[in-house]
Amino acid sequence: KCIDVPGLSQGFFVCNQQLSITRVLRQVKKSEHSLINCIASIVHDTSFVRQIHEQYPYPICGNKRCGAWYTGYSKEHDTCYFKSTDGHVNQWSFSMARLNLHVAMHAVDTGGCIIVDATRRGKKFPDALSKTVPIWAAVVNTCVLLYQMDHDLPLMDDSEPFLSLPEWVPEQEQCEIEKRIDGWATQLCDSDVEDVCRLAAVMTKPLKCCWLHPSENTAVDISINSPTLILVSASLCGLRERKQLLVRGEQIMYDYVPGAGDDEESWAKKLTPSVMWKHYEDILTSQDSLHYISTIVLREQGRCRGDEQDITQNARITWFGETGVGVAPFSY
């Protein structure tokens, strides 16, 4: 039995069982988050990231794993790893396994650093940018000051609070976080991490955070002397609409996916951000995007050399739409 479901290009087949609304919603979500929709949405959102990067020429870091999809266009981009769970209410944490001290060095060396992330959760900023990074910055600031005091180094300016959280974080939550900063900073100092010594030798001002979102016309005051962490949430929130993207003179129609870089396992088909940006125009204009992606993934991994024999053999596969299923001669 074939049932038409809004949002699906093909019917939804149900065999000898009652139609489950859960299954329908899952299928609709899968259709909305298709590979083409996600890649086109990432390309759309990256225009804002590029604009910020041009305006503030600091090193740019994509937060693994979602944020890296929006910075892979740049050959000079770096990565960092701040988990949203470390900023969840009553679960605040500072990870000794993800120190990200290279981000602090970027900011101190150049005056600032751009950190990019996004979310599908229907809000402007993921918790990684709202709380995890500000907590981390406050811990680094405090740790560096403690190290400078212990080693008779020139002390950084501590005239302002080291913890800077966005205005939408409740005051009570800020107070609870502040209580924990000194303990985490002491733990970091006691770890004898070499980069702490390097930071302590050059930091005269604490790390400061600011937040940018494409729905807000705001700017960053870079006249301050403190190294600035520009926290960019790349994606619009709550908007699911039909859009079009101009690729090689061709208008590509797609359904916009907020925070499309999130949950890459459900759509990326083993693509990585760097490979996607290398081939995104070919992917979006390909008659069979899944077939094309399977080829370039194999080639990038070194399992497919891209010679004429491989191309000829690959062309002998008959693919069934975008199911990822195909038929080939047994010898191949």
Side-chain angles (χ1 to χ4, degrees):
K1 183 178 179 183
C2 181
I3 299 175
D4 290 328
V5 179
L8 298 185
S9 58
Q10 297 178 342
F12 183 65
F13 289 91
V14 182
C15 302
N16 299 323
Q17 61 181 350
Q18 187 175 1
L19 182 62
S20 165
I21 188 64
T22 303
R23 293 181 66 216
V24 172
L25 291 175
R26 187 183 298 119
Q27 195 73 6
V28 171
K29 181 179 179 181
K30 183 178 179 180
S31 176
E32 289 176 340
H33 295 171
S34 71
L35 184 140
I36 294 299
N37 287 340
C38 287
I39 290 180
S41 299
I42 289 170
V43 173
H44 170 275
D45 290 341
T46 300
S47 61
F48 174 69
V49 177
R50 289 176 184 263
Q51 176 185 337
I52 298 302
H53 197 194
E54 291 172 0
Q55 188 173 358
Y56 307 103
Y58 297 139
I60 187 168
C61 296
N63 192 27
K64 295 179 179 178
R65 290 169 298 170
C66 178
W69 291 96
Y70 302 92
T71 59
Y73 72 89
S74 172
K75 294 181 179 179
E76 299 177 354
H77 82 285
D78 203 346
T79 58
C80 54
Y81 194 12
F82 296 97
K83 293 190 70 172
S84 285
T85 51
D86 291 339
H88 287 178
V89 178
N90 297 323
Q91 298 180 26
W92 312 289
S93 180
F94 176 83
S95 174
M96 292 296 297
R98 297 180 295 276
L99 291 179
N100 294 297
L101 293 180
H102 66 288
V103 175
M105 289 303 305
H106 283 325
V108 172
D109 288 343
T110 64
C113 184
I114 302 170
I115 301 176
V116 181
D117 206 354
T119 179
R120 284 188 184 178
R121 306 302 180 186
K123 52 188 178 181
K124 288 184 178 179
F125 289 86
D127 284 345
L129 297 186
S130 292
K131 286 177 282 188
T132 305
V133 175
I135 289 172
W136 167 86
V139 172
V140 172
N141 290 335
T142 306
C143 173
V144 167
L145 181 60
L146 291 175
Y147 188 95
Q148 290 171 338
M149 295 171 64
D150 289 344
H151 293 79
D152 295 326
L153 296 173
L155 303 183
M156 77 162 68
D157 181 7
D158 62 346
S159 59
E160 296 183 8
F162 283 169
L163 178 64
S164 55
L165 289 165
E167 59 184 12
W168 57 85
V169 177
E171 184 176 349
Q172 181 179 0
E173 188 174 353
Q174 295 191 37
C175 292
E176 291 297 321
I177 293 172
E178 284 177 346
K179 294 176 184 177
R180 295 163 168 80
I181 297 297
D182 287 346
W184 290 325
T186 301
Q187 182 184 8
L188 178 57
C189 278
D190 291 344
S191 66
D192 292 327
V193 177
E194 183 178 347
D195 283 343
V196 171
C197 176
R198 294 176 57 205
L199 286 169
V202 295
M203 280 186 70
T204 59
K205 294 280 187 177
L207 299 169
K208 293 289 185 181
C209 297
C210 63
W211 294 264
L212 294 180
H213 188 268
S215 67
E216 300 171 349
N217 186 19
T218 55
V220 177
D221 183 8
I222 60 175
S223 63
I224 58 176
N225 294 325
S226 289
T228 305
L229 302 175
I230 303 178
L231 310 183
V232 178
S233 185
S235 185
L236 298 169
C237 57
L239 293 177
R240 294 186 179 274
E241 57 181 323
R242 195 72 171 161
K243 289 182 177 290
Q244 49 186 344
L245 184 70
L246 184 64
V247 180
R248 292 176 175 168
E250 180 181 346
Q251 292 288 354
I252 305 296
M253 300 299 299
Y254 68 99
D255 294 318
Y256 179 75
V257 180
D262 207 357
D263 191 23
E264 62 187 38
E265 292 85 355
S266 67
W267 64 268
K269 310 299 181 186
K270 297 185 179 180
L271 274 177
T272 63
S274 59
V275 174
M276 187 214 79
W277 280 106
K278 185 177 179 181
H279 299 280
Y280 80 94
E281 292 180 325
D282 292 324
I283 294 172
L284 292 176
T285 56
S286 173
Q287 294 297 317
D288 191 341
S289 57
L290 290 181
H291 176 200
Y292 181 79
I293 286 171
S294 67
T295 302
I296 61 175
V297 166
L298 287 174
R299 182 176 297 131
E300 295 291 339
Q301 291 177 345
R303 292 198 296 263
C304 176
R305 303 302 179 185
D307 56 27
E308 291 298 324
Q309 182 179 2
D310 288 331
I311 294 173
T312 302
Q313 287 182 326
N314 209 22
R316 296 170 67 187
I317 303 175
T318 301
W319 296 92
F320 300 140
E322 294 191 356
T323 63
V325 178
V327 173
F330 183 74
S331 58
Y332 176 60

